[in-house]
Amino acid sequence: EDQVTQSPEALRLQEGESSSLNCSYTVSGLRGLFWYRQDPGKGPEFLFTLYSAGEEKEKERLKATLTKKESFLHITAPKPEDSATYLCAVQARYGGATNKLIFGTGTLLAVQP
Amino acid sequence: KAGVTQTPRYLIKTRGQQVTLSCSPISGHRSVSWYQQTPGQGLQFLFEYFSETQRNKGNFPGRFSGRQFSNSRSEMNVSTLELGDSALYLCASRADNSNQPQHFGDGTRLSIL
């Protein structure tokens, strides 16, 4: 069964304290792995797409990496405005065409000034 | 470019009633997917439409249904509401049948009394 697991469930950092979030997945053929950020009362906001092992994407203080079994979201020198829930999702290769995403339960990140 | 628009933002219903939620995708996007988000289960896939055809359906009872119109706007309907249907219902759109990222609206918060 296709599955996505994120850890930790919650993370509290001091401003400037770098860390990493983990997303491990089991899927029958990966079409893409997606990272989203979700603020309270809002829908998920797209951050990155990774398609193959070894790929890396970077945006401001965030960097996403991908291996055959997991992805990491590295946060360098975070600021309070980086506080949010970070969601990981995978799109699998099914028999027919589909855009179905399988989500992890997210990591709630709190960055304190 | 306008994002995904969902209406209404908030809805309160009682058990046994039915409800219809609406989603207008990003202009030019033909794929629309619906997700249910709850604190315990996270984001769960409901169904996906592409060019007015349902392509995939998640593991939800038949009380949950949807449709897509020729202008790509989509509606989902839930009949005979139960307390457990209280959730944030999210709609996401994508341009085509690919592994490009889905973009989410801010959801409809449905509360069942």
Side-chain angles (χ1 to χ4, degrees), chain B residues 5-9 20-24 107-108:
Chain B
T5 304
Q6 293 188 245
T7 56
R9 287 296 313 279
T20 299
L21 312 181
S22 179
C23 171
S24 294
T108 293

Side-chain angles (χ1 to χ4, degrees), chain A residues 14-70:
Chain A
Q14 290 296 124
E15 184 172 2
E17 179 187 2
S18 301
S19 188
S20 297
L21 313 182
N22 177 263
C23 170
S24 61
Y25 63 91
T26 305
V27 67
S28 51
L30 181 70
R31 287 186 71 187
L33 184 141
F34 304 85
W35 281 99
Y36 287 86
R37 166 194 172 127
Q38 187 174 24
D39 293 299
K42 298 282 191 177
E45 175 189 351
F46 169 72
L47 293 173
F48 303 109
T49 307
L50 301 166
Y51 295 108
S52 57
E55 190 174 358
E56 298 182 353
K57 293 274 180 74
E58 206 163 343
K59 177 182 177 181
E60 295 180 355
R61 296 177 293 281
L62 301 176
K63 179 179 177 181
T65 63
L66 181 65
T67 72
K68 288 187 178 179
K69 293 183 179 181
E70 58 190 351

Side-chain angles (χ1 to χ4, degrees), chain B residues 10-54:
Chain B
Y10 303 94
L11 206 48
I12 300 174
K13 293 286 187 179
T14 57
R15 282 182 297 174
Q17 288 187 309
Q18 74 166 16
V19 66
T20 299
L21 312 181
S22 179
C23 171
S24 294
I26 292 171
S27 178
H29 285 194
R30 293 191 294 163
S31 168
V32 173
S33 298
W34 288 88
Y35 295 83
Q36 180 195 65
Q37 186 175 30
T38 58
Q41 298 294 319
L43 276 99
Q44 301 285 313
F45 173 77
L46 280 160
F47 28 66
E48 172 204 349
Y49 288 87
F50 184 82
S51 293
E52 301 180 67
T53 301
Q54 186 181 87

